Amino acid sequence: MPTDSPAPADTPRTPPAPAAPVPAPFPERAALPDPGPAPTLRDPDVPAPAAPVPAPAAPVPAPGPGGPAPATPRGYRAVFAVAEFRAVFAAHLLSLLGVVVSELALTVLVYDLTGSPLLSALTFALGLLPYIVGGTLFAGVADRYPARRVLVVCDLLCAACVAVMLVPATPVAGLLALRCLVAAIAPVFTGTRMAALTDILGEGDLYVLGRSLLRIVSQSAMLIGFGAGGMLLTVLSPRGAITVTVVTFLCSAALLRFGTQDRPARATTGEGAGGTLLKESLSGARLVLGDRRIRALMLLFWLPAMFVVAPEALAAPYADAIGASPAALGLLLCAMAVGHIGAELFVGSALSPRNRSRIVLPVAAVGLLPLLVYAVRPGLPLALAALALAGAGAAYVIGLDQWFVDAVPQELRGRAMTLLTAGLMTVQGLGMALAGLAAEFFPVHQVVAGSGIIGTVCALLLVAEVRRTDPRRMSYTEERDGADRHVTSR
């Protein structure tokens, strides 16, 4: 199933390492040690109760003949130690590669059938536009039904849509409609998987690292998938290459069905619960966006992503403007993904949960500044460095994942994460369209630099709002205001 994110769960054969304590958004003061119960007075004539016999300590496994017992896995290795996550990871990798290959093959097929560059480009655009529709109208599915069932049915529906594309009699309009349907299903699948990861890995550090791995796979698929699709199209027809996607969807469905545990649907309590699917979906969106803290965190996911896509959307005209070769164009398109993957791997493996939390707001605030290099119309080496740095700036999302899952109530989690996915894809498509429109009136390098400036201003405003909505900061303010009122009333 397309896009990056989570799926249901199964108890691992070997228990995962205990999750690290969830980091607070801002450093806390260390709690004072518990002094224990207060001493009680005892009648000297009454004998003291016998001291409780301590429970026997858990047996410590003896070291093997080669030395001490192996250490408990940490970091990304601890995530892969969970058998159920391995099934989710493999399903994500298979389906994502299949989707990327099918996007390329379908674009070629539509161009072969029509000879229209517009319809060929529209095929790509239709992979983004229906996200907001599916994510808003069908988000209730993620909480209303068991996660495993939702994920498997989504994969089977997508496999059926792609299978119909293979029928030679399917007209171009039908191909585009089926493309829209697959794109509308994608946010429901992704949001359900994201929410289900909290059941598989818990809500702490393992969840954060699991989300990070799925995101890395998504970035890597863009680099590998298009290359694989290009090679497949040298030996297969476009419809033959699309067949690969049917197989990957079916394999993903099988992995999720037999590799994950069946859990009940999330409790849907509160406003909108028990109504129609559309009512639950819209009610969930209203509750999520109506919460000031959740809304601020969601915008911190969305808005930087909206502006950072400008250099990718305008890579071809920029390469032409600086006289770069087609090979250089490929480097411009890959540089940001390479920076993102490298930074995310470093932050996920080298930083502690607390430090990942500490860098969220500073990195989000400055992550778009490398795009300002475009103001001087840089050559290829400097442009590639700026793009790699801008990609690395997205590593703040690892800590933001933890804040988001902490802020969203469990009964809203599926709908919130479906809406998050849908909005993220939609704003990226909107950002590409706006960058293209601006490039009709201004030089490309100025448009990219302008995106960096406007995006940084938006990021700074959001950082301030996230700080204001921090629960501990708000709690402290309320306590202080209460104390002030008490002193004033004397």
Side-chain angles (χ1 to χ4, degrees), residues 135-136 139 285 288-289 298 302 414-424:
T136 303
V288 167
L289 295 176
M298 196 170 279
W302 288 351
R415 284 169 284 179
M417 292 183 173
T418 300
L419 185 63
L420 172 63
T421 302
L424 186 60

Side-chain angles (χ1 to χ4, degrees), residues 14 29 115 213 297 340:
T14 57
R29 293 193 214 108
L213 282 170
L297 295 176
H340 186 173

Side-chain angles (χ1 to χ4, degrees), residues 11-407:
T11 306
R13 282 191 286 265
T14 57
V22 178
F26 298 95
E28 299 183 61
R29 293 193 214 108
L32 294 175
D34 185 1
T40 56
L41 298 177
R42 184 175 58 83
D43 188 334
D45 297 327
V46 179
V53 179
V60 178
T72 304
R74 304 173 72 90
Y76 287 119
R77 287 190 302 161
V79 180
F80 278 118
V82 181
E84 192 170 3
F85 177 79
R86 293 198 297 270
V88 173
F89 182 85
H92 180 59
L93 179 61
L94 279 173
S95 63
L96 196 57
L97 285 173
V99 167
V100 173
V101 169
S102 72
E103 286 178 346
L104 181 60
L106 187 59
T107 301
V108 174
L109 177 61
V110 169
Y111 185 74
D112 287 346
L113 292 174
T114 64
S116 168
L118 174 61
L119 288 176
S120 179
L122 185 62
T123 305
F124 263 118
L126 289 177
L128 296 176
L129 298 179
Y131 262 75
I132 192 63
V133 177
T136 303
L137 301 184
F138 306 133
V141 171
D143 291 319
R144 191 171 194 172
Y145 302 102
R148 186 175 73 176
R149 186 190 309 170
V150 172
L151 295 170
V152 172
V153 169
C154 284
D155 265 338
L156 294 177
L157 285 175
C158 289
C161 290
V162 177
V164 176
M165 294 179 187
L166 300 175
V167 178
T170 305
V172 172
L175 294 174
L176 297 180
L178 291 166
R179 177 80 171 103
C180 286
L181 184 56
V182 171
I185 295 171
V188 177
F189 180 93
T190 302
T192 304
R193 186 178 59 195
M194 287 173 65
L197 263 196
T198 61
D199 299 326
I200 299 172
L201 301 173
E203 299 178 3
D205 197 45
L206 286 185
Y207 166 80
V208 172
L209 294 178
R211 283 278 296 122
S212 172
L213 282 170
L214 295 180
R215 208 163 29 237
I216 290 169
V217 168
S218 298
Q219 291 288 327
S220 302
M222 300 301 294
L223 302 176
I224 300 170
F226 285 126
M231 289 189 293
L232 276 175
L233 288 173
T234 63
V235 295
L236 296 174
S237 67
R239 281 194 168 90
I242 292 172
T243 306
V244 174
T245 303
V246 180
V247 176
T248 58
F249 277 138
L250 293 176
C251 289
S252 174
L255 283 166
L256 294 171
R257 172 61 182 82
F258 298 108
T260 60
Q261 183 180 349
D262 189 20
R263 293 182 173 85
R266 297 177 183 278
T268 50
T269 58
E271 185 181 346
T276 64
L277 175 60
L278 179 61
K279 181 180 177 182
E280 282 189 20
S281 300
L282 295 177
S283 171
R286 185 169 62 252
L287 291 171
V288 167
L289 295 176
D291 184 284
R292 183 180 175 187
R293 173 70 173 174
I294 299 175
R295 183 174 64 247
L297 295 176
M298 196 170 279
L299 288 173
L300 198 57
F301 278 104
W302 288 351
L303 287 187
M306 177 179 176
F307 292 101
V308 81
V309 297
E312 292 182 322
L314 301 175
Y318 188 73
D320 182 62
I322 63 174
S325 65
L329 172 60
L331 292 175
L332 288 171
L333 289 171
C334 294
M336 196 175 291
V338 170
H340 186 173
I341 293 169
E344 184 136 5
L345 283 171
F346 172 78
V347 171
S349 57
L351 299 187
S352 66
R354 180 177 293 275
N355 286 333
R356 289 199 294 267
S357 182
R358 284 174 173 165
I359 69 169
V360 170
L361 298 182
V363 174
V366 303
L368 294 172
L369 289 180
L371 298 185
L372 300 188
V373 170
Y374 272 75
V376 298
R377 200 169 177 266
L380 184 63
L382 190 55
L384 291 175
L387 291 174
L389 284 174
Y396 77 91
V397 173
I398 300 184
L400 189 59
D401 278 332
Q402 184 66 68
W403 296 3
F404 190 73
V405 79
D406 290 344

